[in-house]
Amino acid sequence: ISPSQILAVTFTNKAAQEIRHRLDKLFPVQSLWIGTFHSLFARLLRFDINKYQDEQRRTWKRNFSIFDESDVQSLFKNIVTKELNLDNKKFDPRKIRYTVSNAKNQGLTPEAYAKQEPGYRGRVISEIYNEYQSRLAANNALDFDDLILKTVEVLQRFPEAKARFRSRFRHVLVDEYQD
């Protein structure tokens, strides 16, 4: 098996560095794809995200940035308290952030979330989620949940992207899969 046909995924940056260090000794000139789910999915997205458009026609470019947790929390706080002028006791930005994260992890768009949670609170959270996505797109940024969600969506929507990676990676190694 050619090492260039292996996609090695692990859960932590430290583990990815250790795997890379060991494999670089065995295959020093090979183009190895080793990393965390998030780092590898970011790498995959840089090939095709410029073709992607979400339900609201928001787009991203290949040179997108990745917002860390601090950036994300600040953005949610700004949207909830300043832009939408909501009571942060009823709509705690931190709790809203985790609700949106859970929605993304279930593959729910703001519109799908509103349908799933049709009450007042669900509609407001959907509005916050929608504004949050608009702000990310305006900044050409993704959060860590988007790295997973957008990769899945790109591979589902663009058969040529799926085919490219399917032919490139004949084997997928998930480190400590049992965990």
Side-chain angles (χ1 to χ4, degrees):
I1 299 169
S2 168
S4 65
Q5 293 181 319
I6 300 171
L7 177 67
V9 183
T10 190
F11 292 92
T12 67
N13 287 321
K14 182 178 178 183
Q17 289 171 345
E18 178 64 23
I19 292 169
R20 177 171 296 289
H21 176 73
R22 289 180 185 185
L23 290 178
D24 278 345
K25 289 180 182 178
L26 297 171
F27 312 106
V29 295
Q30 295 291 329
S31 174
L32 301 173
W33 279 51
I34 302 167
T36 64
F37 285 95
H38 292 103
S39 69
L40 289 171
F41 286 7
R43 191 172 172 185
L44 290 170
L45 281 174
R46 294 203 191 275
F47 285 91
D48 295 293
I49 196 153
N50 59 316
K51 301 173 193 170
Y52 175 82
Q53 193 174 86
D54 73 5
E55 290 177 340
Q56 297 297 320
R57 304 181 66 81
R58 291 177 284 237
T59 60
W60 287 262
K61 296 180 184 121
R62 289 181 177 165
N63 65 341
F64 62 84
S65 60
I66 302 168
F67 275 19
D68 65 16
E69 191 58 31
S70 174
D71 298 325
V72 169
Q73 289 292 351
S74 294
L75 186 51
F76 270 100
K77 185 176 180 181
N78 189 48
I79 292 168
V80 170
T81 61
K82 293 181 180 157
E83 290 182 26
L84 298 177
N85 201 26
L86 296 168
D87 180 354
N88 66 354
K89 293 197 184 348
K90 289 182 181 176
F91 294 97
D92 178 353
R94 186 174 297 274
K95 289 180 181 175
I96 301 295
R97 185 270 181 273
Y98 290 115
T99 300
V100 169
S101 177
N102 287 333
K104 286 183 177 188
N105 289 326
Q106 293 174 37
L108 299 175
T109 63
E111 296 79 11
Y113 181 83
K115 288 178 185 173
Q116 183 175 302
E117 299 291 333
Y120 172 73
R121 183 170 181 76
R123 286 191 310 270
V124 171
I125 290 172
S126 175
E127 182 181 350
I128 295 166
Y129 180 4
N130 192 51
E131 182 59 29
Y132 172 69
Q133 289 304 116
S134 292
R135 294 286 300 278
L136 286 175
N139 286 293
N140 194 37
L142 300 171
D143 64 21
F144 285 104
D145 297 319
D146 284 328
L147 294 175
I148 306 295
L149 180 60
K150 302 293 186 223
T151 300
V152 169
E153 290 176 344
V154 164
L155 293 175
Q156 287 174 340
R157 289 185 194 177
F158 303 104
E160 69 279 5
K162 184 177 180 179
R164 180 179 341 103
F165 292 113
R166 180 175 275 167
S167 68
R168 166 79 194 263
F169 301 113
R170 307 300 297 169
H171 305 277
V172 177
L173 167 69
V174 181
D175 183 38
E176 298 187 39
Y177 178 74
Q178 73 281 0
D179 294 344

